[in-house]
Coordinates of all heavy atoms in Angstrom, one line a residue:
R1 N -62.8 -16.2 -193.5 CA -61.4 -15.8 -193.1 C -61.1 -16.1 -191.7 O -60.1 -16.5 -191.3 CB -61.2 -14.4 -193.5 CG -61.0 -14.1 -195.0 CD -60.4 -12.7 -195.3 NE -61.3 -11.7 -194.9 CZ -62.2 -11.1 -195.6 NH1 -62.3 -11.5 -196.9 NH2 -63.0 -10.1 -195.2
V2 N -62.1 -15.8 -190.8 CA -62.0 -16.0 -189.4 C -61.8 -17.5 -189.1 O -60.9 -17.8 -188.3 CB -63.2 -15.5 -188.6 CG1 -63.2 -15.9 -187.1 CG2 -63.3 -14.0 -188.7
I3 N -62.6 -18.3 -189.8 CA -62.4 -19.7 -189.6 C -61.0 -20.2 -190.0 O -60.4 -21.0 -189.3 CB -63.5 -20.5 -190.4 CG1 -64.9 -20.2 -189.7 CG2 -63.2 -22.0 -190.4 CD1 -66.0 -20.8 -190.5
L4 N -60.6 -19.7 -191.1 CA -59.2 -20.0 -191.6 C -58.1 -19.6 -190.6 O -57.2 -20.3 -190.4 CB -59.0 -19.4 -193.0 CG -59.8 -20.0 -194.1 CD1 -59.5 -19.3 -195.4 CD2 -59.3 -21.5 -194.3
I5 N -58.3 -18.4 -190.1 CA -57.4 -17.8 -189.1 C -57.3 -18.7 -187.9 O -56.3 -19.1 -187.3 CB -57.7 -16.4 -188.7 CG1 -57.4 -15.5 -189.9 CG2 -56.9 -15.9 -187.5 CD1 -57.9 -14.1 -189.7
I6 N -58.6 -19.1 -187.4 CA -58.6 -20.0 -186.2 C -58.0 -21.3 -186.5 O -57.2 -21.8 -185.6 CB -60.1 -20.2 -185.8 CG1 -60.7 -18.8 -185.3 CG2 -60.2 -21.3 -184.7 CD1 -62.2 -18.9 -185.0
I7 N -58.3 -21.9 -187.7 CA -57.6 -23.2 -188.0 C -56.1 -23.0 -188.1 O -55.4 -23.9 -187.6 CB -58.2 -23.7 -189.4 CG1 -59.7 -24.1 -189.2 CG2 -57.4 -24.9 -189.9 CD1 -60.4 -24.4 -190.5
G8 N -55.6 -21.9 -188.7 CA -54.2 -21.6 -188.7 C -53.6 -21.5 -187.4 O -52.5 -22.1 -187.1
L9 N -54.3 -20.8 -186.5 CA -53.8 -20.7 -185.1 C -53.7 -22.0 -184.4 O -52.7 -22.3 -183.7 CB -54.6 -19.7 -184.3 CG -54.5 -18.2 -184.7 CD1 -55.5 -17.4 -184.0 CD2 -53.1 -17.7 -184.4
L10 N -54.8 -22.8 -184.6 CA -54.8 -24.1 -184.0 C -53.6 -25.0 -184.5 O -53.0 -25.7 -183.7 CB -56.1 -24.8 -184.2 CG -57.3 -24.2 -183.5 CD1 -58.6 -24.9 -183.9 CD2 -57.1 -24.4 -181.9
L11 N -53.4 -24.9 -185.8 CA -52.3 -25.7 -186.4 C -50.9 -25.2 -185.8 O -50.1 -26.0 -185.5 CB -52.3 -25.5 -187.9 CG -53.4 -26.3 -188.6 CD1 -53.4 -25.9 -190.1 CD2 -53.3 -27.8 -188.4
V12 N -50.8 -23.9 -185.7 CA -49.6 -23.4 -185.1 C -49.4 -23.8 -183.7 O -48.3 -24.3 -183.3 CB -49.6 -21.8 -185.2 CG1 -48.4 -21.3 -184.4 CG2 -49.5 -21.3 -186.6
I13 N -50.5 -23.8 -182.9 CA -50.4 -24.2 -181.5 C -50.1 -25.7 -181.4 O -49.2 -26.1 -180.6 CB -51.8 -23.9 -180.8 CG1 -51.9 -22.4 -180.6 CG2 -51.8 -24.6 -179.4 CD1 -53.3 -22.0 -180.2
F14 N -50.9 -26.5 -182.1 CA -50.6 -27.9 -182.1 C -49.2 -28.3 -182.6 O -48.5 -29.1 -182.1 CB -51.6 -28.7 -182.9 CG -53.0 -28.8 -182.2 CD1 -54.1 -28.3 -182.8 CD2 -53.0 -29.5 -181.0 CE1 -55.3 -28.4 -182.1 CE2 -54.3 -29.6 -180.3 CZ -55.4 -29.1 -180.9
G15 N -48.7 -27.6 -183.6 CA -47.4 -27.8 -184.2 C -46.3 -27.4 -183.1 O -45.3 -28.1 -183.0
S16 N -46.6 -26.3 -182.4 CA -45.6 -25.9 -181.4 C -45.5 -26.9 -180.3 O -44.5 -27.2 -179.8 CB -46.0 -24.5 -180.9 OG -46.0 -23.5 -181.9
V17 N -46.8 -27.3 -179.9 CA -46.8 -28.3 -178.8 C -46.1 -29.6 -179.2 O -45.3 -30.2 -178.4 CB -48.3 -28.6 -178.4 CG1 -48.3 -29.9 -177.4 CG2 -48.9 -27.4 -177.7
Y18 N -46.4 -30.1 -180.4 CA -45.7 -31.3 -180.9 C -44.2 -31.1 -181.0 O -43.4 -32.0 -180.6 CB -46.3 -31.7 -182.3 CG -45.6 -32.9 -182.9 CD1 -46.0 -34.2 -182.4 CD2 -44.6 -32.8 -183.8 CE1 -45.3 -35.3 -183.0 CE2 -44.0 -33.9 -184.3 CZ -44.3 -35.1 -183.9 OH -43.7 -36.2 -184.4
L19 N -43.8 -30.0 -181.5 CA -42.3 -29.7 -181.7 C -41.7 -29.7 -180.3 O -40.6 -30.2 -180.1 CB -42.1 -28.4 -182.4 CG -40.6 -28.0 -182.6 CD1 -39.9 -29.1 -183.4 CD2 -40.5 -26.6 -183.3
G20 N -42.4 -29.0 -179.3 CA -41.8 -28.9 -178.0 C -41.7 -30.3 -177.3 O -40.7 -30.6 -176.7
Y21 N -42.8 -31.1 -177.5 CA -42.7 -32.4 -176.9 C -41.6 -33.3 -177.6 O -40.9 -34.0 -176.9 CB -44.1 -33.1 -177.2 CG -44.1 -34.6 -176.7 CD1 -44.2 -34.9 -175.4 CD2 -43.9 -35.6 -177.7 CE1 -44.2 -36.2 -175.0 CE2 -43.9 -36.9 -177.2 CZ -44.0 -37.2 -175.9 OH -44.0 -38.5 -175.5
Y22 N -41.5 -33.1 -178.9 CA -40.4 -33.9 -179.6 C -39.0 -33.5 -179.1 O -38.2 -34.4 -178.8 CB -40.5 -33.7 -181.1 CG -39.4 -34.3 -181.9 CD1 -39.5 -35.7 -182.2 CD2 -38.3 -33.5 -182.3 CE1 -38.4 -36.2 -182.9 CE2 -37.3 -34.1 -183.1 CZ -37.4 -35.5 -183.4 OH -36.4 -36.0 -184.1
L23 N -38.8 -32.2 -179.0 CA -37.5 -31.7 -178.5 C -37.2 -32.1 -177.1 O -36.1 -32.5 -176.7 CB -37.4 -30.2 -178.7 CG -37.4 -29.6 -180.1 CD1 -37.5 -28.1 -180.1 CD2 -36.2 -30.1 -180.9
Y24 N -38.3 -32.1 -176.3 CA -38.1 -32.5 -174.9 C -37.8 -34.0 -174.8 O -37.0 -34.4 -174.0 CB -39.4 -32.2 -174.1 CG -39.3 -32.8 -172.7 CD1 -38.6 -32.1 -171.7 CD2 -40.0 -34.0 -172.3 CE1 -38.5 -32.6 -170.4 CE2 -39.9 -34.5 -171.0 CZ -39.2 -33.8 -170.1 OH -39.1 -34.3 -168.8
A25 N -38.5 -34.8 -175.6 CA -38.3 -36.2 -175.6 C -36.8 -36.5 -176.0 O -36.2 -37.4 -175.5 CB -39.3 -36.9 -176.6
Q26 N -36.3 -35.8 -177.0 CA -35.0 -36.0 -177.5 C -34.0 -35.6 -176.4 O -33.0 -36.3 -176.1 CB -34.7 -35.1 -178.8 CG -35.5 -35.6 -180.0 CD -35.0 -37.0 -180.4 OE1 -33.8 -37.3 -180.5 NE2 -36.0 -37.9 -180.7
Y27 N -34.3 -34.5 -175.7 CA -33.4 -34.0 -174.6 C -33.4 -35.0 -173.5 O -32.3 -35.4 -172.9 CB -33.9 -32.7 -174.1 CG -33.2 -32.2 -172.9 CD1 -31.9 -31.7 -172.9 CD2 -33.8 -32.3 -171.6 CE1 -31.2 -31.3 -171.8 CE2 -33.2 -31.9 -170.5 CZ -31.9 -31.4 -170.6 OH -31.2 -30.9 -169.4
A28 N -34.6 -35.5 -173.1 CA -34.7 -36.5 -172.0 C -34.0 -37.8 -172.4 O -33.3 -38.3 -171.5 CB -36.2 -36.8 -171.7
A29 N -34.1 -38.2 -173.6 CA -33.4 -39.4 -174.0 C -31.9 -39.2 -173.9 O -31.2 -40.1 -173.5 CB -33.8 -39.8 -175.4
S30 N -31.4 -38.1 -174.4 CA -29.9 -37.8 -174.3 C -29.5 -37.8 -172.9 O -28.4 -38.2 -172.5 CB -29.6 -36.5 -175.0 OG -30.1 -35.4 -174.4
Q31 N -30.3 -37.2 -172.0 CA -29.9 -37.1 -170.6 C -29.9 -38.5 -169.9 O -29.0 -38.8 -169.1 CB -30.9 -36.2 -169.8 CG -30.8 -34.7 -170.1 CD -29.5 -34.1 -169.7 OE1 -28.6 -33.9 -170.6 NE2 -29.3 -33.9 -168.5
N32 N -30.9 -39.3 -170.3 CA -30.9 -40.7 -169.8 C -29.6 -41.4 -170.3 O -29.0 -42.2 -169.5 CB -32.1 -41.4 -170.2 CG -33.4 -40.9 -169.5 OD1 -33.3 -40.4 -168.4 ND2 -34.5 -41.1 -170.1
E33 N -29.3 -41.2 -171.5 CA -28.1 -41.9 -172.1 C -26.8 -41.4 -171.3 O -26.0 -42.2 -171.0 CB -28.0 -41.6 -173.6 CG -29.0 -42.4 -174.4 CD -28.8 -42.1 -175.9 OE1 -27.9 -41.3 -176.2 OE2 -29.6 -42.6 -176.7
E34 N -26.7 -40.1 -171.1 CA -25.6 -39.6 -170.4 C -25.5 -40.1 -169.0 O -24.5 -40.4 -168.4 CB -25.6 -38.0 -170.4 CG -25.4 -37.4 -171.7 CD -25.4 -35.9 -171.7 OE1 -25.5 -35.4 -170.5 OE2 -25.4 -35.3 -172.7
F35 N -26.7 -40.2 -168.3 CA -26.8 -40.7 -166.9 C -26.4 -42.1 -166.9 O -25.6 -42.5 -166.0 CB -28.2 -40.5 -166.4 CG -28.3 -41.1 -165.0 CD1 -27.8 -40.4 -163.9 CD2 -29.0 -42.3 -164.8 CE1 -27.9 -40.9 -162.6 CE2 -29.1 -42.8 -163.5 CZ -28.6 -42.1 -162.4
A36 N -26.9 -42.9 -167.8 CA -26.5 -44.3 -167.9 C -25.1 -44.5 -168.1 O -24.4 -45.4 -167.5 CB -27.4 -45.1 -168.9
S37 N -24.5 -43.7 -169.0 CA -23.1 -43.8 -169.3 C -22.3 -43.4 -168.1 O -21.3 -44.0 -167.8 CB -22.8 -42.9 -170.5 OG -21.4 -42.8 -170.8
S38 N -22.8 -42.3 -167.4 CA -22.0 -41.9 -166.2 C -22.0 -42.9 -165.2 O -21.0 -43.2 -164.5 CB -22.7 -40.6 -165.7 OG -22.1 -40.2 -164.5
V39 N -23.2 -43.6 -165.0 CA -23.3 -44.7 -164.0 C -22.4 -45.8 -164.3 O -21.7 -46.4 -163.5 CB -24.7 -45.2 -163.8 CG1 -24.8 -46.4 -163.0 CG2 -25.6 -44.1 -163.2
A40 N -22.4 -46.2 -165.6 CA -21.5 -47.3 -166.1 C -20.0 -46.9 -165.9 O -19.3 -47.8 -165.4 CB -21.8 -47.6 -167.5
Q41 N -19.7 -45.7 -166.2 CA -18.3 -45.3 -166.0 C -17.9 -45.2 -164.5 O -16.8 -45.7 -164.2 CB -18.1 -43.9 -166.6 CG -18.1 -43.9 -168.2 CD -18.0 -42.5 -168.7 OE1 -17.9 -41.5 -168.0 NE2 -18.2 -42.4 -170.0
T42 N -18.8 -44.7 -163.7 CA -18.6 -44.7 -162.3 C -18.4 -46.1 -161.7 O -17.5 -46.4 -160.9 CB -19.7 -44.0 -161.5 OG1 -19.8 -42.6 -162.0 CG2 -19.4 -43.9 -160.0
T43 N -19.3 -47.0 -162.1 CA -19.3 -48.4 -161.7 C -18.0 -49.0 -162.1 O -17.3 -49.7 -161.3 CB -20.4 -49.2 -162.2 OG1 -21.7 -48.6 -161.8 CG2 -20.4 -50.6 -161.7
A44 N -17.6 -48.8 -163.4 CA -16.3 -49.3 -163.9 C -15.1 -48.8 -163.1 O -14.2 -49.5 -162.8 CB -16.2 -49.0 -165.4
A45 N -15.2 -47.5 -162.8 CA -14.1 -46.9 -162.1 C -13.9 -47.4 -160.7 O -12.9 -47.7 -160.2 CB -14.3 -45.4 -162.0
V46 N -15.1 -47.7 -160.0 CA -15.1 -48.3 -158.7 C -14.5 -49.7 -158.7 O -13.7 -50.0 -157.9 CB -16.5 -48.3 -158.1 CG1 -16.5 -49.1 -156.8 CG2 -17.0 -46.9 -157.8
N47 N -15.0 -50.4 -159.7 CA -14.5 -51.8 -159.9 C -13.0 -51.8 -160.2 O -12.2 -52.7 -159.7 CB -15.3 -52.6 -160.9 CG -16.7 -52.8 -160.5 OD1 -17.0 -52.9 -159.3 ND2 -17.6 -53.0 -161.5
E48 N -12.5 -50.9 -161.0 CA -11.1 -50.9 -161.4 C -10.3 -50.4 -160.2 O -9.1 -50.8 -160.1 CB -10.9 -49.9 -162.6 CG -11.5 -50.4 -163.9 CD -11.4 -49.4 -165.0 OE1 -10.8 -48.3 -164.7 OE2 -11.8 -49.7 -166.1

């Protein structure tokens, strides 16, 4: 039972880490898209 508990905890920890990384990657990607869009809009506004 101890081994199973330890395995379960490790799965939970690894799952949490993976989920956190996935969510962060999604957030970072959206921020990069927003930044790129903002830069493009600013550049277009300056040119216009």
Side-chain angles (χ1 to χ4, degrees):
R1 285 196 294 269
V2 169
I3 291 172
L4 289 175
I5 291 171
I6 291 172
I7 292 172
L9 289 173
L10 290 174
L11 289 174
V12 169
I13 291 170
F14 284 120
S16 297
V17 170
Y18 177 80
L19 179 61
Y21 175 79
Y22 174 80
L23 292 175
Y24 174 78
Q26 293 295 313
Y27 172 76
S30 67
Q31 290 296 102
N32 287 337
E33 288 179 2
E34 288 180 10
F35 178 74
S37 176
S38 175
V39 169
Q41 290 174 4
T42 300
T43 302
V46 169
N47 290 335
E48 288 175 4

